[in-house]
Amino acid sequence: MTSILVTGGAGFIGSNYVRGLAASRPELTVVNVDALTYSGNLENLAGVLDTPRHRFIRADIADAQALERALAGIEFDQVVHFAAESHVDRSIEDAGAFLRTNVLGTQVLIDLARRRGVKRFVHVSTDEVYGALGATGLFSESTPLAPNSPYAASKAASDLLVRAAIHTHGFPALITRCSNNYGPYQFPEKLIPLMVSNALEGKPLPVYGDGMQVRDWIHVDDHCAGIECVRERGRIGEVYNLGGGNERANIEVVRGILAATGKPESLIKYVADRPGHDRRYAIDASKAKAELGWSPTVGFEEGLRRTLAWYVDNREWWSRIKSGVYRDYYARHYAHRVGEEAS
Ligand code: NAD
Ligand code: TYD
C-alpha cells in the first residue's frame, strides 16, 4: 500500500486534496503533517480525521529535529508538499515566516525525504513565481522566474531548492505551478472567500486599486486532480503548470459575488492598492494537458455558484475564523488601506 506524506494538509488546498484521496483512493494511506498556523484548521479535515487511512501529526516542517522525531517509525513512499505561508499581503507586512516555512521548511523536507528514500516528491508551487504579465501572453514552464512579492520570492526560492536537489542528488521531485484557487475551506483573507463572507455579512468589499488586476481562477478540485496526475504520471524532474483558463478582472469577480448574493454594488469600497501589485496572471497548461491528459472541468460561474453555496451552508466555519484570530489582522490591514483610499 502506498503511503503519502502530505504537508500542510489542514490548510485550504491540502485539506481538499486529503479529502479527495480519502474518497477516491482506497489503496492509499496519508500521513498529514501540519503546524496548524492561523490558516491550518482541523475542522477542515472533518470526515477524514481519525480514520484508519489518515493520520494527522502536528509538526513544524522548518524544525528539522522536531520533524524527524514526529515522523520516527512512520513510513511513507511519496511526499506531496503543500505547507507554506500563502498570503501575499501578509508577506508584505512581514516576510520572516515566509522565509522560514517556504524556504527553510522545503529544504528540511527535501533532506528528510532523501534520507527516507522517498520515490516521488511533488512540490506544490504557484504561477506567482513567474511575476506579472501585461495585457497579453501566458506563463509557460519556460517563462523566467521573476517573483514580485516576498511570498512569490519565497516560493521561487523553494522551487530552486527542489530543482537543485534534482540536479545535484537525482532527487525524484516534480514541481506544479498553479494559478489562483477558490473553493470550500479557503481562509477568508483571500479574495473570493473574503468578498463572499463580507457580502453575506453586509460589510464593505475592499477592492485594491482600480480592481482591473486579472487572475486565472481554478476550482480547488481541478487543482487537486492535476496534482494527482502529476504525482502518478508526471516525469520526474519536470515542472507542470496548472491553470483554470478562467481569466477575470477582480472587479468582475466582486460584482458577480454581489449579484449572486443579492447585495448592492454600493458595498464595493475601492481602497489603496497593494504595493507592487501584479497586474495579470494567466497560465498555459498545455504541457499537463498533452502529457498527463489533465484538464480543468469546473467552469468559473458554476464553481463560484458551488463555492458560494458552501459558504452559505458553512457560515459557522468562517464566522468563527473571522471573529477569532483573523480579526486583528483584518482590522490592522484594512484600517491602514482605507486611510489611504484611492479617490
Ligand atoms: P493555506 O495557508 O490555506 O494552508 C497552508 C497550510 O500549511 C496550513 O494548514 C498551515 O498550518 C500549514 N503550515 C504553515 N506553516 C507550516 C509549517 N512551518 N509547518 C507545517 N505546516 C505549516 O494555503 P493554501 O492556499 O492551501 O496553499 C497550499 C499550497 O499551495 C502552498 O504551497 C501555496 O503556495 C500553493 N498554492 C496556492 C494557491 C492558492 O491560490 N491558494 C495557488 C497555487 C499554489
Ligand atoms: P489574493 O486572493 O490575495 O491572491 P493573490 O494575491 O495571490 O493573487 O488576491 C487576489 C486578487 O484580489 C489580487 O489581485 C488582490 C485582490 N484583492 C483585493 O482587491 N482586495 C482584497 O481585499 C484582497 C484580499 C485581494
Side-chain angles (χ1 to χ4, degrees):
M1 187 178 258
T2 300
S3 176
I4 305 181
L5 175 69
V6 173
T7 71
F12 162 48
I13 306 173
S15 65
N16 277 285
Y17 177 75
V18 166
R19 214 172 311 99
L21 288 189
S24 63
R25 300 289 161 115
E27 75 283 11
L28 300 176
T29 61
V30 168
V31 180
N32 183 352
V33 167
D34 196 296
L36 299 181
T37 65
Y38 77 92
S39 70
N41 185 347
L42 287 181
E43 288 176 35
N44 300 0
L45 292 166
V48 294
L49 208 58
D50 302 325
T51 51
R53 292 191 294 111
H54 177 268
R55 178 168 182 176
F56 180 80
I57 296 174
R58 184 172 191 175
D60 175 357
I61 60 157
D63 184 337
Q65 288 176 355
L67 189 65
E68 187 66 59
R69 271 197 308 276
L71 291 172
I74 297 174
E75 292 187 4
F76 47 90
D77 322 287
Q78 303 186 0
V79 176
V80 182
H81 175 33
F82 293 96
E85 288 290 334
S86 66
H87 187 38
V88 171
D89 291 318
R90 288 186 191 246
S91 79
I92 293 169
E93 192 176 293
D94 182 1
F98 290 74
L99 299 190
R100 187 171 182 281
T101 291
N102 301 3
V103 185
L104 178 62
T106 298
Q107 185 62 48
V108 165
L109 269 181
I110 292 170
D111 294 342
L112 180 101
R114 286 187 57 229
R115 284 197 301 279
R116 296 295 191 93
V118 156
K119 305 284 187 304
R120 284 173 93 76
F121 183 106
V122 180
H123 176 62
V124 179
S125 192
T126 166
D127 61 352
E128 300 191 28
V129 298
Y130 297 124
L133 292 165
T136 59
L138 301 171
F139 294 133
S140 79
E141 289 82 357
S142 57
T143 302
L145 301 190
N148 287 323
S149 72
Y151 162 67
S154 69
K155 291 297 288 187
S158 68
D159 288 17
L160 293 179
L161 290 171
V162 172
R163 177 195 147 92
I166 294 167
H167 185 78
T168 307
H169 302 294
F171 185 58
L174 309 97
I175 297 176
T176 61
R177 295 189 181 132
C178 191
S179 59
N180 285 63
N181 284 221
Y182 67 99
Y185 297 104
Q186 186 167 29
F187 195 86
E189 67 190 356
K190 301 285 173 70
L191 181 75
I192 288 182
L194 176 63
M195 299 299 165
V196 166
S197 59
N198 277 15
L200 293 174
E201 291 180 304
K203 289 188 179 158
L205 276 58
V207 173
Y208 296 165
D210 64 0
M212 290 307 291
Q213 304 81 9
V214 171
R215 297 295 182 261
D216 175 355
W217 293 98
I218 184 171
H219 192 275
V220 66
D221 287 348
D222 280 330
H223 184 193
C224 291
I227 291 170
E228 272 303 89
C229 288
V230 170
R231 185 184 66 77
E232 290 188 314
R233 302 194 288 284
R235 283 182 295 138
I236 279 173
E238 293 292 314
V239 175
Y240 293 94
N241 280 355
L242 302 171
N246 293 304
E247 286 186 53
R248 296 286 185 286
N250 294 336
I251 191 68
E252 276 183 77
V253 174
V254 170
R255 290 205 171 109
I257 290 169
L258 287 171
T261 48
K263 299 290 174 156
E265 293 209 353
S266 56
L267 283 180
I268 293 173
K269 179 144 190 75
Y270 287 95
V271 300
D273 207 354
R274 170 187 282 170
H277 199 170
D278 284 340
R279 195 68 180 165
R280 175 171 165 263
Y281 302 145
I283 278 271
D284 172 358
S286 55
K287 179 176 171 182
K289 289 179 183 169
E291 268 191 36
L292 309 174
W294 170 83
S295 259
T297 59
V298 186
F300 185 65
E301 278 66 31
E302 167 59 16
L304 194 57
R305 228 182 345 267
R306 274 160 47 183
T307 302
L308 192 65
W310 188 88
Y311 279 84
V312 168
D313 290 346
N314 290 274
R315 196 174 180 119
E316 260 185 45
W317 178 88
W318 56 263
S319 296
R320 227 184 336 269
I321 292 172
K322 288 183 95 166
S323 59
V325 284
Y326 181 56
R327 206 177 42 185
D328 291 348
Y329 167 82
Y330 191 88
R332 194 170 67 240
H333 182 67
Y334 289 99
H336 161 73
R337 294 200 110 68
V338 173
E340 293 172 19
E341 184 179 349
S343 54

